[in-house]
Amino acid sequence: MDFGPYLLLATMEGAVGAAVLALTALGLSLVFGVMRVVNVAHGEFFMLGAVIAWWVAHLVGAHPALGFLAALVVAPIMVGLVAAVAERLVLRRLGYDPEATIVATIGLLYVIQQAALSTFGPDARPVEPPVDFRILLPWFGYSGYKLLVIAAAAALMLCVWWVLARTRVGLMMRATRFDRETARAFAIPVDRVYGGVFALGAMLAAVGAVLIVPIQQAHYLMGHDPLLLSFIVVIIGGLGSLRGTVLAALVIGMSDGVISVFFSPTLAKILATLLVAIVLVIRPTGLFGARAA
Amino acid sequence: MLKVDRIDCCYGNTQVLRGFSLELACGEILCLLGRNGAGKTTALKAIMGLVKPRAGAITVDGVDLTHLPAEAAPRHGIGYVPQGRRLFADLTVAENLEIGLMARHTPRAARERALDLFPALRERLDQASGTLSGGEQQMLAIARALCLEPKVILLDEPTEGLMPSMVARIREVVSTLRRQGTAVLLVEQRVEAVLEIADHVLFVENGRSRDRLAAAELRARPELLGRFVGVGD
């Protein structure tokens, strides 16, 4: 294949990764932005989404599309419930203290990971894609499902933006993010906002996982890479900045895809980490993060 | 209307309020006076449910708020203008006012009435509140609290750092609120302003409520200002 079509293929692969990464990182950024909680277990919510997707698709059987659609509904809800319970039983009792919640979410990471290993096993398991068609370009054919992943992720991110910018729930989340004590003084139920945001963040990771699991297989250790890349994205984009998160996810996801195709996935991670170091030195608050007063 | 009955409040192991009490009637302006650290701001926070009393009771119109979550105070008609304004700086003026409306599900007309008191805010509805001038921010902080149509409004140093014309405007608004029957609990450092506007003053010392007297009476007893506030010592 010539260089041009090869680059196009790599870019399209990168776009798929970027779309899923943007969803996952958006969840992490939302949780940090509103709650000031660094959720180290975020990658495990991603993994849990993929594992539950496999269970649901496996149980439903029948047509792959039915199993996948059921997984797309059930997996995020179940992961959201797990997150809501963890928030209620652990984070709230710690008063959302930044240091304590880092330690607690590390514990949560291992609990979820080992629970998945115990029930799901150590094997990687595939989920069939819901559709099986290819877009025929002059140089190569490309999976139609992968293009659907990009469209679905973009639609979901627009929904999140709409909720945050245009609804009362979003207004409560933005007010709580800025000053939780004053939010309480105006009858905003801060504890419920926190519970909802933590569940929503986990659900976004789970949706990302359900979308990607027909391309990558479900495995109990699959949460590591999304967690690392999400942190990279959130640091580059600016802690708590949703716009920065999405833009950084596009840059990191695309470059990860392109560099992985032309060179190696390891080099892609090295360059992303280098970019984080540069951003931290030049602009510690990230490209779109608020400057410290 | 508002009754605070012998409350004790602590931050960790540090006790800040000790048996603090006050009573506030409809259309009354009561000013808390005391030195820095006397517990005035903590008293307002306790009424708002932001600091939970370890003992005592807080009631509004006979409803006991003491053990209810912080959301209960605004829902029962207590508006709060915190010290330093504490606006949601990233949110626009309109969004800050919307938060006030949402607190008690008050009709949109409440926002119009609040904006009638501070017409300058009408031109800035789409502006981020953090970009307003200090005076405009204070107007917005009061307007936001008025959006929930409070029966009682707590004002914590509303004139702090403001130019004289803005101080006069806020004084006018407080007088208007009194005429409308709103009870006002004011923490203020400008003693002259207090004497002009307040019906009563309550001295606070080391977390305890002390003498309560009519503002007019205070002029005749300047030694109290010296003792409790450190003015005219």
Side-chain angles (χ1 to χ4, degrees), chain A residues 30 34-35 87 92 96 168-177 180 183 187-200, chain B residues 71:
Chain A
L30 205 55
V34 176
M35 303 171 68
E87 187 276 338
R92 193 178 301 184
Y96 308 103
R168 289 187 162 201
V169 172
L171 188 57
M172 283 195 239
M173 284 160 67
R174 288 186 288 140
T176 304
R177 171 191 175 198
R180 73 173 165 179
I188 293 177
V190 170
D191 287 340
R192 269 192 281 161
V193 170
Y194 278 9
V197 165
F198 198 68
L200 177 62
Chain B
E71 295 97 90

Side-chain angles (χ1 to χ4, degrees), chain B:
Chain B
M1 169 170 280
L2 174 68
K3 186 174 180 187
V4 178
D5 188 17
R6 288 170 292 172
I7 58 168
D8 292 343
C9 284
C10 301
Y11 291 121
N13 292 324
T14 308
Q15 187 164 1
V16 181
L17 294 182
R18 298 172 176 85
F20 180 92
S21 300
L22 66 78
E23 284 190 44
L24 183 63
C26 278
E28 181 188 7
I29 300 177
L30 172 66
C31 181
L32 302 184
L33 281 178
R35 293 173 193 267
N36 287 339
K40 306 182 295 293
T41 294
T42 304
L44 300 196
K45 286 188 174 184
I47 294 166
M48 289 309 299
L50 301 173
V51 177
K52 284 290 166 198
R54 291 194 178 175
I58 297 166
T59 56
V60 60
D61 283 340
V63 179
D64 188 351
L65 301 179
T66 320
H67 303 294
L68 296 180
E71 295 97 90
R75 288 197 179 129
H76 283 87
I78 306 181
Y80 183 40
V81 179
Q83 188 176 20
R85 296 131 198 174
R86 303 279 290 266
L87 296 173
F88 302 110
D90 282 356
L91 272 53
T92 63
V93 170
E95 287 173 330
N96 270 277
L97 296 173
E98 186 69 29
I99 296 229
L101 293 175
M102 281 159 54
R104 252 180 117 195
H105 307 292
T106 36
R108 198 145 286 272
R111 187 182 95 150
E112 293 310 307
R113 283 192 284 275
L115 288 173
D116 286 343
L117 291 172
F118 300 110
L121 293 176
R122 278 189 199 282
E123 298 155 21
R124 308 229 183 272
L125 288 173
D126 294 325
Q127 190 172 329
S129 60
T131 63
L132 298 175
S133 69
E136 289 168 336
Q137 287 192 11
Q138 192 62 63
M139 288 194 273
L140 177 57
I142 297 173
R144 180 178 64 176
L146 293 179
C147 276
L148 57 90
E149 295 193 322
K151 294 183 277 189
V152 182
I153 188 164
L154 317 183
L155 299 165
D156 197 348
E157 303 208 16
T159 62
E160 186 182 26
L162 299 184
M163 54 197 270
S165 62
M166 191 57 66
V167 172
R169 179 72 198 122
I170 287 173
R171 214 180 297 161
E172 282 170 24
V173 168
V174 171
S175 298
T176 304
L177 292 175
R178 171 173 44 191
R179 282 198 298 277
Q180 292 169 349
T182 308
V184 180
L185 181 57
L186 180 68
V187 171
E188 181 58 85
Q189 298 284 4
R190 296 171 192 247
V191 174
E192 276 307 312
V194 169
L195 293 174
E196 282 180 32
I197 199 174
D199 297 308
H200 294 92
V201 296
L202 175 67
F203 288 106
V204 185
E205 185 184 45
N206 294 328
R208 291 185 175 84
S209 42
R210 298 293 195 184
D211 300 52
R212 177 187 165 115
L213 62 163
E217 210 180 321
L218 184 60
R219 288 189 186 278
R221 299 183 63 189
E223 78 280 3
L224 289 176
L225 287 174
R227 177 182 160 197
F228 291 115
V229 191
V231 175
D233 280 338

Side-chain angles (χ1 to χ4, degrees), chain A residues 149-200:
Chain A
V149 168
I150 297 171
L156 204 58
M157 281 187 285
L158 273 176
C159 282
V160 172
W161 171 83
W162 181 80
V163 167
L164 284 173
R166 295 277 184 264
T167 68
R168 289 187 162 201
V169 172
L171 188 57
M172 283 195 239
M173 284 160 67
R174 288 186 288 140
T176 304
R177 171 191 175 198
F178 200 80
D179 183 343
R180 73 173 165 179
E181 185 178 88
T182 307
R184 278 205 168 97
F186 284 88
I188 293 177
V190 170
D191 287 340
R192 269 192 281 161
V193 170
Y194 278 9
V197 165
F198 198 68
L200 177 62

